[in-house]
Amino acid sequence: MAGTGDRTDGRGRRVVITGMGVLSSIGNGVEQFAGALRAGRVGTTEITRFDTEGFPYRRGHQVAGFAPEDWILHLSPEEVGPAARFAIAATRMALADAGLSPAELQERRRGFIAVGTTDGGIPDLDGVVEAVLPGSLEDMPAELARRVPASQLSVHVARELRLGDVEAISIATACAAGNYAIGAGLDAVRSGECAYALVGGADALCRKNLAGFTRLGLVAETECRPFDAERDGLLLGEGAGMLVLEDAESARARGARVYAEVMGYGLNCDAHHPVAPERESVGRCIRLALDDAGIKPGDVDLVSAHGTGTKTNDITEVQAMRDVFGDGMPRTTAVKSMIGHTMGAASALGAVAGALAIHHGFIPPTANHRETDPECAVDCVPNRSVEADVRIVQNTALAFGGNNAVVVLGRHDD
């Protein structure tokens, strides 16, 4: 793959990742995150973000060592909700990692910001409800109410960085939202409409999600074990993953380090079931992404799986992969085993993991693994990372309501 700016196949500019920012239970910043992935570190703790009394299982994945005032320099941290704080911090990290400043972006022509989320400001809505229920509407804390809309995630990023000439959108397609945002950013840059894109996802732990997944019977007792015969569910997490996308010519001109190329993506919604993925639809989405990237199934070296650790989801995902890849199933890793299910941030962090795998030449493991379920017959790289020549990664996300999103990343040989 020779990076020469505009493609010769009619699909527009080539788009590369030049910076990444991370907040997660296993480390903040791309270097900490990469080291933790290599080590197979698991970030599970007791949830302390809110009162978990009455919940049968109370373990999850929380961001630690995060001080909003270190990252929010222009807005008041009090007007920014938890998920938006994560998005701002991860974006600042990504820009620093890319060797770009907000001032430099301000000098470029039109930009694009897309932040995916499941809950947006729902943690603040929890606070609003707690204040109003015992009293009346007059007791509503206005500062929390203003932080609830999911649109605030992208808007606050733009305001904090003082980027006026941008399109700023929040995408609330649940667990697939990060990949939706990356795909939207890819379109914006490769079409030439925008000079750069700041894309990814962010979510913060909240009582509503723990209650919902508990009622569905999907919360694991101790650890998330994707593809394992004894898996018993997911663990909720929080965090953010943000990526800087720009066209290859721009990156080359400024001597930027390139982690990977965003080769293509696929989206579909089958509306099959509120919570259960549909095998044929997932397979179609994978094929859409591979076709958009201009590659064949056999070209994929690694799948960064949705891999929630729930019984039905893991089986359906593997069946759909088998439909696409046949007997040539690539190695498959599930980083949720280490960082939990971070909702709208999940596939963005999966993309970061995939880009790191390409850039550094290793495959992150699926942690907590004991014995592979025969119905999930994949090489899930159990418990220990392995060194590997990774050229192409498929990053898969499957969301409630049948919203599927797959992004393909590739090595950018210049």
Side-chain angles (χ1 to χ4, degrees), residues 1 4 11 63 181 206 269 342 377 397 405:
M1 292 181 287
T4 56
R11 283 184 288 160
V63 170
C206 63
C269 180
T342 55

Side-chain angles (χ1 to χ4, degrees), residues 145-215:
R146 283 193 291 268
R147 287 162 30 172
V148 169
S151 59
Q152 297 298 312
L153 272 68
S154 57
V155 170
H156 280 324
V157 169
R159 291 181 61 211
E160 170 65 23
L161 300 178
R162 298 181 175 178
L163 301 175
D165 186 18
V166 295
E167 178 182 354
I169 62 172
S170 297
I171 301 176
T173 46
C175 313
N179 268 359
Y180 269 77
I182 294 169
L186 170 61
D187 282 343
V189 176
R190 72 177 170 184
S191 68
E193 293 181 14
C194 296
Y196 66 89
L198 309 176
V199 296
D203 261 310
L205 278 169
C206 63
R207 182 190 303 274
K208 183 272 289 183
N209 255 356
L210 183 58
F213 280 97
T214 298
R215 287 294 300 272

Side-chain angles (χ1 to χ4, degrees), residues 21 173 190 199 204 227 234 249 281 324 342 344 349 358 360:
T173 46
R190 72 177 170 184
V199 296
F227 311 122
L234 55 82
E249 195 67 39
S281 177
V324 175
T342 55
L349 289 168
I358 292 168
H360 292 298

Side-chain angles (χ1 to χ4, degrees), residues 178-306:
N179 268 359
Y180 269 77
I182 294 169
L186 170 61
D187 282 343
V189 176
R190 72 177 170 184
S191 68
E193 293 181 14
C194 296
Y196 66 89
L198 309 176
V199 296
D203 261 310
L205 278 169
C206 63
R207 182 190 303 274
K208 183 272 289 183
N209 255 356
L210 183 58
F213 280 97
T214 298
R215 287 294 300 272
L216 288 169
L218 299 179
V219 178
E221 182 174 357
T222 58
E223 296 289 356
C224 174
R225 308 180 191 280
F227 311 122
D228 192 274
E230 298 180 0
R231 68 190 182 281
D232 63 345
L234 55 82
L235 290 180
L236 295 180
E238 65 179 3
M242 294 295 293
L243 300 85
V244 177
L245 307 185
E246 56 186 302
D247 72 74
E249 195 67 39
S250 165
R252 183 182 307 104
R254 66 184 190 85
R257 177 220 28 240
V258 171
Y259 284 106
E261 178 177 347
V262 186
M263 300 179 67
Y265 75 105
L267 309 175
N268 66 3
C269 180
D270 53 67
H272 166 70
H273 191 275
V275 297
E278 199 272 325
R279 174 178 176 174
E280 292 184 6
S281 177
V282 174
R284 284 197 302 273
C285 192
I286 294 171
R287 292 188 181 94
L288 285 171
L290 300 183
D291 289 346
D292 189 47
I295 63 171
K296 299 177 181 179
D299 296 326
V300 177
D301 300 307
L302 172 66
V303 173
S304 180
H306 190 59

